[in-house]
Amino acid sequence: MSSPTVGFVSLGCPKALVDSERILTQLRAEGYGVSGSYEGADLVVVNTCGFIDDAVQESLDAIGEALAENGKVIVTGCLGAKTSEQGGSLVAQVHPKVLAVTGPHATAEVMQAIHQHLPKPHDPFTDLVPEQGIRLTPDHYAYLKISEGCNHRCSFCIIPSMRGDLVSRPVGEVMREAEALVKAGVKEILVISQDTSAYGVDLKYRTDFVDGRPVRTRMTELVQELAKLGVWIRLHYVYPYPHVDEILPLMAEGKVLPYLDVPFQHAHPDVLKRMKRPASGEKNLERIQRWREVCPDLTIRSSFIAGFPGETEAEHQYLLDFLTEAQIDRLGCFVYSPVDGAGANDLPGQLPDEVRQARQEAVMAHQAPISAIRQARWIGRRVQLLIDGVDTEEGCLIARTAGDAPEIDGLVRVYPDPNSRHPVTVETGQFCVADIVDSHEYDLEAVYVSHQ
Ligand code: SF4
């Protein structure tokens, strides 16, 4: 008899992806079959995103499609936590035929709903699940979620109302997961959370045990432990609190990737105050300068919001001046858009759409030559790359430098050296060494040197 099969649709950010991986791991542990399509599935789980209005629509459409194609649908994720204007579940109101709705990080509730509508199989041999669980990323990199929720209340964000306050995973548990990933062949671990710098605050930095040794549940100590694993460690969502300085020496020593994803969102102190941003009082330009003094190779990624309510022309110009000074390597800038339920919606000085749009374009245009200069500094360097794939048509490897996170940053096209008789002997998921020979707006070109 074939196993009952669950179709799975995973939408949203890396944090939602980790929730999906947990549910998939549990499904496989209990002997369910998992399908990437509706066909052949006895029931479909849709993991949704509710962050911005476009994501809400995409999630609602995906649920509608799953209902039409399959009929038995369970909804989880951020959109599941949203209420309609009448006060009930928004999803249940739009799609009353869904079988169950849960919020994010609710593996137990999702499994309970699945058991109710698709009883679990009884086969003791099917609970053979790999120790590292089921992952949705390629085999060679993985996201490691170190905490849930957030203690801040940024005025444009509704994540805390959907995911609650910060709940950190004890460092021993995080390290066991990281070690299992490395054992399974993962070469790059991407640390994610809503606020990586705040890791452990809720646990009062409690001491836990890693391989029998006492270690505090705190960002610096976690990073020191991860650095011992011998794989690429990349840090995302790091707010510029003073203790971030403690990890820069590890980056300079090559133990952790010299890469920081710091979502500044703006530069002007008054806008940051209206945004209620964490670490808004920090002197960010001085911090960046000091970080680069300690670790000259540091790549900084950041995101900004243009046209926030009340943003004056002078504040917008202040942001442009900040970008000139900060020389951020990788930058995303979003047009401010009100999110249902966010405090910023009630702020005075909401700007017309055209102004917000024009300011976003001005930020991107201002940053373009800065990014180009930052990219060009790679030319002439011999670097270690991680190979993500092969482009057979172009005849090159697709790889990334330490300065490129998967999916959001650029890539490196690595061509064989026409003057070398050494064949290219590397595969996806392995490291190689290459000489960077050219740079474009986001991507780089390189010539293969050796397998590492
Ligand atoms: S730090 Fe701010 S933007 Fe980020 S999750 Fe927390 S409240 Fe939202």
Side-chain angles (χ1 to χ4, degrees):
M1 200 185 79
S2 64
S3 314
T5 299
V6 177
F8 210 97
V9 178
S10 186
L11 304 168
C13 63
K15 282 151 273 198
L17 187 78
V18 172
D19 284 351
S20 293
E21 290 174 345
R22 294 221 173 107
I23 298 167
L24 288 168
T25 300
Q26 191 57 32
L27 283 169
R28 291 296 294 274
E30 294 187 9
Y32 286 94
V34 175
S35 156
S37 69
Y38 308 121
E39 263 170 59
D42 300 294
L43 176 153
V44 177
V45 175
V46 183
N47 188 3
T48 58
C49 176
F51 186 46
I52 54 169
D53 293 346
D54 284 353
V56 170
Q57 198 47 52
E58 187 195 7
S59 294
L60 288 172
D61 291 349
I63 297 164
E65 192 181 307
L67 279 169
E69 298 279 332
N70 183 283
K72 288 176 90 175
V73 177
I74 290 170
V75 175
T76 183
C78 288
L79 182 62
K82 269 200 160 181
T83 47
S84 68
E85 276 167 16
Q86 288 72 38
S89 154
L90 173 70
V91 171
Q93 191 192 26
V94 179
H95 293 297
K97 288 198 179 137
V98 295
L99 300 174
V101 182
T102 82
H105 47 273
T107 307
E109 286 102 308
V110 172
M111 291 310 299
Q112 210 177 4
I114 293 171
H115 295 155
Q116 195 186 339
H117 297 282
L118 187 65
K120 73 174 167 183
H122 296 289
D123 184 346
F125 295 105
T126 53
D127 62 358
L128 296 170
V129 168
E131 208 184 323
Q132 76 280 11
I134 307 288
R135 289 188 289 110
L136 297 173
T137 45
D139 288 346
H140 59 285
Y141 67 82
Y143 295 101
L144 180 66
K145 183 147 75 166
I146 59 170
S147 60
E148 295 283 2
C150 180
N151 283 348
H152 303 295
R153 295 294 180 262
C154 299
S155 56
F156 54 82
C157 177
I158 53 166
I159 283 177
S161 67
M162 294 195 288
R163 292 182 174 243
D165 281 341
L166 179 76
V167 179
S168 302
R169 299 172 65 199
V171 68
E173 185 186 311
V174 173
M175 285 307 299
R176 276 194 296 281
E177 183 175 338
E179 280 161 12
L181 290 169
V182 174
K183 224 164 91 191
V186 163
K187 300 289 193 320
E188 177 178 5
I189 291 178
L190 300 110
V191 174
I192 56 165
S193 67
Q194 304 296 346
D195 177 0
T196 297
S197 316
Y199 175 62
V201 168
D202 54 310
L203 299 176
K204 302 200 169 54
Y205 306 124
R206 199 170 64 210
T207 298
D208 195 30
F209 291 90
V210 176
D211 297 332
R213 287 174 293 110
V215 176
R216 288 170 83 202
T217 297
R218 185 171 173 270
M219 183 181 73
T220 306
E221 283 78 352
L222 170 67
V223 173
Q224 283 164 345
E225 291 300 317
L226 289 169
K228 294 176 190 163
L229 295 177
V231 297
W232 276 12
I233 304 294
R234 193 182 296 283
L235 303 177
H236 287 280
Y237 312 106
V238 176
Y239 287 103
Y241 297 122
H243 66 277
V244 173
D245 296 2
E246 297 169 9
I247 54 178
L248 266 293
L250 288 172
M251 293 183 175
E253 288 165 31
K255 294 188 171 151
V256 179
L257 290 181
Y259 180 98
L260 275 179
D261 172 11
V262 190
F264 287 118
Q265 308 301 16
H266 209 280
H268 195 286
D270 294 344
V271 182
L272 290 169
K273 254 183 231 138
R274 293 200 293 279
M275 287 180 165
K276 300 200 179 140
R277 291 295 288 164
S280 63
E282 302 299 332
K283 296 191 170 119
N284 289 332
L285 276 179
E286 286 169 28
R287 300 303 288 298
I288 291 172
Q289 205 180 354
R290 263 210 318 279
W291 289 345
R292 287 198 173 123
E293 274 162 22
V294 178
C295 181
D297 261 352
L298 181 67
T299 294
I300 300 177
R301 152 164 281 280
S302 189
S303 54
F304 290 85
I305 296 176
F308 190 74
E311 186 192 55
T312 62
E313 193 52 54
E315 287 166 345
H316 167 64
Q317 186 57 45
Y318 189 98
L319 170 56
L320 299 184
D321 294 344
F322 172 87
L323 295 180
T324 305
E325 292 285 320
Q327 297 283 300
I328 284 166
D329 300 80
R330 320 240 181 266
L331 179 140
C333 181
F334 303 96
V335 178
Y336 168 75
S337 87
V339 175
D340 247 4
N345 304 358
D346 303 325
L347 286 175
Q350 305 278 331
L351 298 172
D353 282 353
E354 319 77 79
V355 175
R356 294 187 234 161
Q357 188 68 42
R359 288 194 182 163
Q360 186 262 0
E361 284 163 16
V363 169
M364 292 314 285
H366 188 87
Q367 174 66 22
I370 299 172
S371 295
I373 291 169
R374 297 297 296 169
Q375 274 289 82
R377 87 200 151 107
W378 289 93
I379 297 176
R381 295 188 58 180
R382 180 163 289 188
V383 292
Q384 184 192 39
L385 302 173
L386 181 55
I387 297 158
D388 279 341
V390 180
D391 184 336
T392 41
E393 267 177 35
E394 275 276 311
C396 64
L397 299 166
I398 301 294
R400 285 180 291 111
T401 66
D404 300 301
E407 318 225 342
I408 49 173
D409 295 329
L411 47 84
V412 189
R413 289 193 173 77
V414 188
Y415 294 91
D417 181 351
N419 303 316
S420 166
R421 276 194 251 138
H422 297 297
V424 176
T425 55
V426 283
E427 292 171 8
T428 301
Q430 294 183 333
F431 290 109
C432 76
V433 175
D435 289 331
I436 306 289
V437 293
D438 202 359
S439 77
H440 306 283
E441 199 174 341
Y442 300 107
D443 300 341
L444 296 166
E445 276 179 37
V447 172
Y448 179 81
V449 174
S450 66
H451 173 249
Q452 203 190 26

